[in-house]
């Protein structure tokens, strides 16, 4: 069973701080990795995708991938209350199929 | 506007009834997917289709059926054989990437199904 593991949280950070969200996966053959943000009652929204080892930055968001450790993370700089949501990690294990983690709930307090 | 639409937003079903959830996209995406999300859980794949007139079972296909007669449309039927259908149903489609392992999936707004 191919698995994606996330801490369910909640992860609480003050406004302006850096939020660090982590994800591990079991399939060493995984090629692509995605972070989605999901507000309560809404559908997931793509935040970042990453395919190569290292860091990828997009505005306040940085995705980090370490394939040797089977670890992917998402950093959110200057966290805002509007960032409060559940963040889903998804891993493409081949054949266009994504395996999702259960998500980490982030709470940013003003 | 390009996007993925799902209807209805809310659906109530009596036990023993079949219901069909609609998913339409005008993004010209080849692949479409159906997921189910239960409270506090991740998304689980029900069915997916990479091309018209072809589809494959996902991890939890029992009690569900799909069709893909048009590129733009991928309806999901929840049959009476699905014993616990109350959930949030999400449709997604993907941009063809350089390889099948890099395709990015985008989601519709979802349909919340409740069994009465």
């Amino acid at each position: 069973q191919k698995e994606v593991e996330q801490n369910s949280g909640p992860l609480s950070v003050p406004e302006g701080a850096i939020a660090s969200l982590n994800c591990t996966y079991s399939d060493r053959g995984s090629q692509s990795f995605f972070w989605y943000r999901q507000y309560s009652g809404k559908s997931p929204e793509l935040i970042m995708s990453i395919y190569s080892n290292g860091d990828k930055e997009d505005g306040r968001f940085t995705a980090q991938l370490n394939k040797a450790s089977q670890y992917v993370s998402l950093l959110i700089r200057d966290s805002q209350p509007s960032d409060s949501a559940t963040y889903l990690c998804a891993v493409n294990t081949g054949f266009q199929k994504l395996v999702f983690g259960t998500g980490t709930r982030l709470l940013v307090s003003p | 506007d390009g996007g993925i639409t799902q209807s209805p937003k809310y659906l109530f079903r009596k036990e023993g009834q079949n219901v069909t959830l609609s998913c339409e996209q005008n993004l010209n995406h080849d692949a479409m997917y159906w997921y189910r999300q239960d409270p506090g859980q991740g998304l689980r794949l029900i069915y997916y289709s990479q091309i018209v007139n072809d589809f494959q079972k996902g991890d939890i296909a029992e009690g569900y059926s799909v069709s893909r007669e048009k590129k733009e449309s991928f309806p999901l039927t929840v049959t009476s054989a699905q014993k616990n259908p109350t959930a949030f149903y999400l449709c997604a489609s993907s941009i063809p990437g350089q390889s099948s392992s890099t395709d990015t999936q985008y989601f519709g707004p979802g349909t919340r199904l409740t069994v009465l």
Side-chain angles (χ1 to χ4, degrees):
Chain A
Q1 180 74 13
K2 299 172 182 176
E3 295 182 344
V4 176
E5 300 287 342
Q6 295 182 256
N7 189 318
S8 60
L11 172 66
S12 296
V13 300
E15 184 175 357
I18 296 175
S20 178
L21 304 162
N22 305 315
C23 172
T24 59
Y25 60 94
S26 62
D27 184 5
R28 277 197 179 275
S30 300
Q31 296 293 318
S32 52
F33 308 85
F34 305 88
W35 284 99
Y36 289 86
R37 177 176 64 197
Q38 187 175 26
Y39 292 112
S40 181
K42 303 295 185 182
S43 64
E45 171 192 10
L46 181 70
I47 298 296
M48 293 281 289
S49 59
I50 187 166
Y51 309 114
S52 303
N53 278 330
D55 295 359
K56 179 181 177 182
E57 185 175 321
D58 184 0
R60 296 187 297 112
F61 299 97
T62 298
Q64 300 175 318
L65 175 61
N66 184 326
K67 289 186 177 180
S69 299
Q70 296 176 240
Y71 177 94
V72 58
S73 64
L74 179 69
L75 301 179
I76 306 175
R77 290 182 299 281
D78 188 24
S79 295
Q80 301 297 309
S82 58
D83 294 326
S84 297
T86 296
Y87 289 80
L88 302 173
C89 174
V91 176
N92 191 318
T93 57
F95 304 102
Q96 300 179 316
K97 293 175 65 175
L98 290 183
V99 177
F100 285 81
T102 55
T104 298
R105 186 177 169 211
L106 173 66
L107 297 176
V108 181
S109 54
Chain B
D1 288 336
I4 304 170
T5 59
Q6 291 186 244
S7 62
K9 185 174 181 179
Y10 298 98
L11 184 59
F12 299 90
R13 189 195 95 170
K14 293 181 180 179
E15 288 193 15
Q17 281 184 336
N18 293 355
V19 292
T20 297
L21 283 58
S22 170
C23 178
E24 304 276 335
Q25 55 97 0
N26 61 4
L27 301 168
N28 200 34
H29 289 176
D30 289 316
M32 297 185 73
Y33 311 80
W34 275 105
Y35 292 90
R36 167 183 173 141
Q37 187 176 36
D38 294 281
Q41 297 193 28
L43 279 66
R44 293 183 290 167
L45 182 64
I46 304 172
Y47 268 98
Y48 65 106
S49 169
Q50 297 177 327
I51 197 170
V52 173
N53 291 323
D54 188 44
F55 48 83
Q56 288 79 39
K57 292 182 179 180
D59 300 319
I60 56 165
E62 184 175 353
Y64 300 97
S65 64
V66 294
S67 62
R68 186 88 187 275
E69 298 177 359
K70 299 186 300 181
K71 186 176 184 177
E72 301 81 14
S73 179
F74 191 40
L76 173 74
T77 297
V78 184
T79 75
S80 57
Q82 171 50 239
K83 297 306 179 187
N84 186 23
T86 295
F88 189 37
Y89 289 87
L90 290 157
C91 178
S93 66
S94 66
I95 298 173
Q98 293 182 347
S99 72
S100 62
S101 63
T102 60
D103 290 355
T104 299
Q105 294 185 21
Y106 295 87
F107 287 86
T111 293
R112 197 167 296 276
L113 172 63
T114 303
V115 173
L116 301 175

